[in-house]
Amino acid sequence: TSERVFNLTQQVLGRAGRRERSGQVFIQTYNEENKLLQHIVNNKRNSFYKKELELRKYSSLPPFSKIASILFSGKNMISLQKVAENYGNKLKEIKGIEVYGPIKAPIKFLNNNYRYRITLKANGPFIIQRHLKKLNLTSNSNSFVRITLDIDPYSFF
């Protein structure tokens, strides 16, 4: 995402100027007019963050909403898919929560386990947690499926 690229380049730029001799940072691009690149080159940190915050508000992303990720993992793809679909169907019945998935996780096979993901979005705090507590995540799982919950996840991998 643009936030990650911006933060990474800020980190590199900061490290380049720490020694007695100042360093240089080179950025290779095919698009010199890219708005993100312009924010970086002109050191316009505040305007970048202001723009990103406006985009988050418009898209109803954190901090203007809450997001949760439910990751299902297991050795048997069929059992895993059934458990994920069962949860997905139950979650879709809940008003006030948007449900995306279940879908295969971006990294669908990791450490000899298949992975499915459901992403939830709500406009207020603790709405997701309240409904997930009622749902009891372990009630439909079995010893072959592991369920992991991440509130406001940093990464979706």
Side-chain angles (χ1 to χ4, degrees), residues 23-63:
Q24 291 182 326
V25 175
F26 294 92
I27 300 174
Q28 184 176 347
T29 182
Y30 289 110
N31 182 4
E32 294 177 25
E33 303 305 316
N34 180 287
K35 296 225 186 263
L36 173 60
L37 183 61
Q38 294 305 311
H39 284 286
I40 294 167
V41 170
N42 297 315
N43 197 24
K44 296 200 174 195
R45 181 182 302 191
N46 290 339
S47 65
F48 171 78
Y49 286 128
K50 183 180 178 190
K51 189 128 186 108
E52 284 299 308
L53 204 54
E54 288 171 5
L55 281 171
R56 284 176 167 263
K57 187 173 185 177
Y58 177 77
S59 302
S60 186
L61 293 172

Side-chain angles (χ1 to χ4, degrees), residues 89-118:
N89 291 334
K90 286 183 178 185
L91 290 164
K92 287 175 184 172
E93 295 173 4
I94 299 171
K95 292 185 188 313
I97 294 179
E98 295 177 44
V99 180
Y100 304 98
I103 60 169
K104 290 179 184 173
I107 300 174
K108 62 184 173 186
F109 192 72
L110 181 68
N111 297 329
N112 295 319
N113 283 294
Y114 295 97
R115 299 161 22 111
Y116 268 79
R117 177 173 311 283
I118 295 176

Side-chain angles (χ1 to χ4, degrees), residues 47-90:
S47 65
F48 171 78
Y49 286 128
K50 183 180 178 190
K51 189 128 186 108
E52 284 299 308
L53 204 54
E54 288 171 5
L55 281 171
R56 284 176 167 263
K57 187 173 185 177
Y58 177 77
S59 302
S60 186
L61 293 172
F64 303 100
S65 68
K66 284 291 184 186
I67 292 180
S69 171
I70 305 173
L71 181 67
F72 302 85
S73 60
K75 306 251 183 246
N76 185 311
M77 178 90 139
I78 296 167
S79 296
L80 179 65
Q81 188 175 3
K82 284 181 185 177
V83 170
E85 286 175 356
N86 188 12
Y87 273 105
N89 291 334
K90 286 183 178 185

